[in-house]
Amino acid sequence: MKDRLIFALDVDSYDEARQWVRILADEVGMFKVGKQLFTRCGPQIVDMIRQAGGGVFLDLKYHDIPNTVAKAGIEAARMGVQMFNVHALGGGKMMRTMVDEVREAAVKEGFPVPITLAVTILTSSSEEDLRQVGIDLPVTQMVPRLATLARESGLHGVVASAQELPLIRQACGGDFVVVTPGVRPATAARDDQQRVMTPGEAIAAGSDYLVVGRPISKADDPVLAARSIVAEMTEAGA
């Protein structure tokens, strides 16, 4: 079950990232590298994690013209990341182009195709936030709509709140990968997340991977915190 736990490596230096990788490499399945860390450190941060035996979820949420996103996806795959994501709001053409060109490059160059994911609606977004940018449909309609578009475009899955999991499963089936951020143990603060579940609730609802950051990094004993989350996941998945 620990392979399904992803630690959010939301730090601002290479040395701090390396320290967390050393602490948690045996406790989690992947490390999420986001915009802050990748902008600071670049591909070397991915190399460091992989050399330590860890997997990488490259969380850069590509959203641009189809050709640009496709080329970025190829470079992500060349780095050897296990998964990366794009914004579903970029549209079907953008996602299909990326999927096709990554697969073509993988065949030509002999690298594995990562798990490709689409971000539906950020877990920090409220419906009022969506209305401010012109999206009048509720989250419960937008998420399965975007998930279906991602599936039809050839992506492996989505990043979405566990609270929308039943809607995604109904729309896309049980073999569609769902990566769930915004996971908080019952005793942890919500921080800036709006739509959250506990690790056990998320696994019971059918999440494939959980992304957890501050409940581990801010714990008095991060290793114990990670193990406690894995234990809760295991119990819920039994």
Side-chain angles (χ1 to χ4, degrees), residues 6-217:
I6 302 170
F7 176 67
L9 205 55
D10 295 331
V11 298
D12 58 8
S13 74
Y14 182 92
D15 289 342
E16 189 176 359
R18 182 170 56 185
Q19 180 181 5
W20 280 115
V21 172
R22 287 173 175 170
I23 291 170
L24 296 173
D26 293 331
E27 310 299 332
V28 302
M30 271 181 270
F31 294 88
K32 181 179 77 69
V33 174
K35 292 181 177 68
Q36 178 186 10
L37 186 59
F38 194 81
T39 301
R40 177 70 178 269
C41 301
Q44 66 173 326
I45 200 70
V46 174
D47 293 339
M48 180 272 289
I49 295 168
R50 295 187 67 227
Q51 289 173 13
V56 177
F57 167 24
L58 190 62
D59 179 30
L60 301 183
K61 303 180 181 70
Y62 299 128
H63 185 173
D64 212 309
I65 64 173
N67 181 67
T68 297
V69 170
K71 300 309 181 188
I74 291 170
E75 295 302 332
R78 282 174 176 155
M79 282 190 288
V81 303
Q82 284 186 244
M83 60 173 66
F84 70 88
N85 57 13
V86 305
H87 261 296
L89 288 170
K93 182 178 180 181
M94 184 198 79
M95 290 189 284
R96 286 191 298 272
T97 301
M98 182 275 295
V99 168
D100 291 344
E101 293 199 18
V102 168
R103 288 176 178 169
E104 182 179 352
V107 171
K108 287 182 178 179
E109 300 177 31
F111 57 74
V113 175
I115 297 171
T116 52
L117 305 167
V119 175
T120 55
I121 299 298
L122 296 173
T123 55
S124 60
S125 296
S126 66
E127 293 192 351
E128 175 59 27
D129 295 328
L130 298 181
R131 284 192 291 271
Q132 288 177 359
V133 296
I135 298 175
D136 294 325
L137 292 176
V139 169
T140 53
Q141 292 184 35
M142 282 301 300
V143 169
R145 179 174 181 170
L146 292 171
T148 299
L149 179 62
R151 180 179 58 80
E152 292 174 347
S153 301
L155 275 71
H156 298 104
V158 292
V159 180
S161 166
Q163 294 184 7
E164 283 90 50
L165 250 168
L167 299 172
I168 294 170
R169 292 298 181 214
Q170 182 178 8
C172 299
D175 60 348
F176 195 61
V177 175
V178 180
V179 176
T180 303
V183 174
R184 293 288 186 273
T187 56
R190 283 188 169 222
D191 297 305
D192 57 357
Q193 302 291 346
Q194 296 294 325
R195 307 192 314 282
V196 300
M197 276 190 175
T198 68
E201 289 171 340
I203 290 295
S207 291
D208 295 293
Y209 298 91
L210 308 186
V211 179
V212 182
R214 284 168 283 194
I216 295 175
S217 63

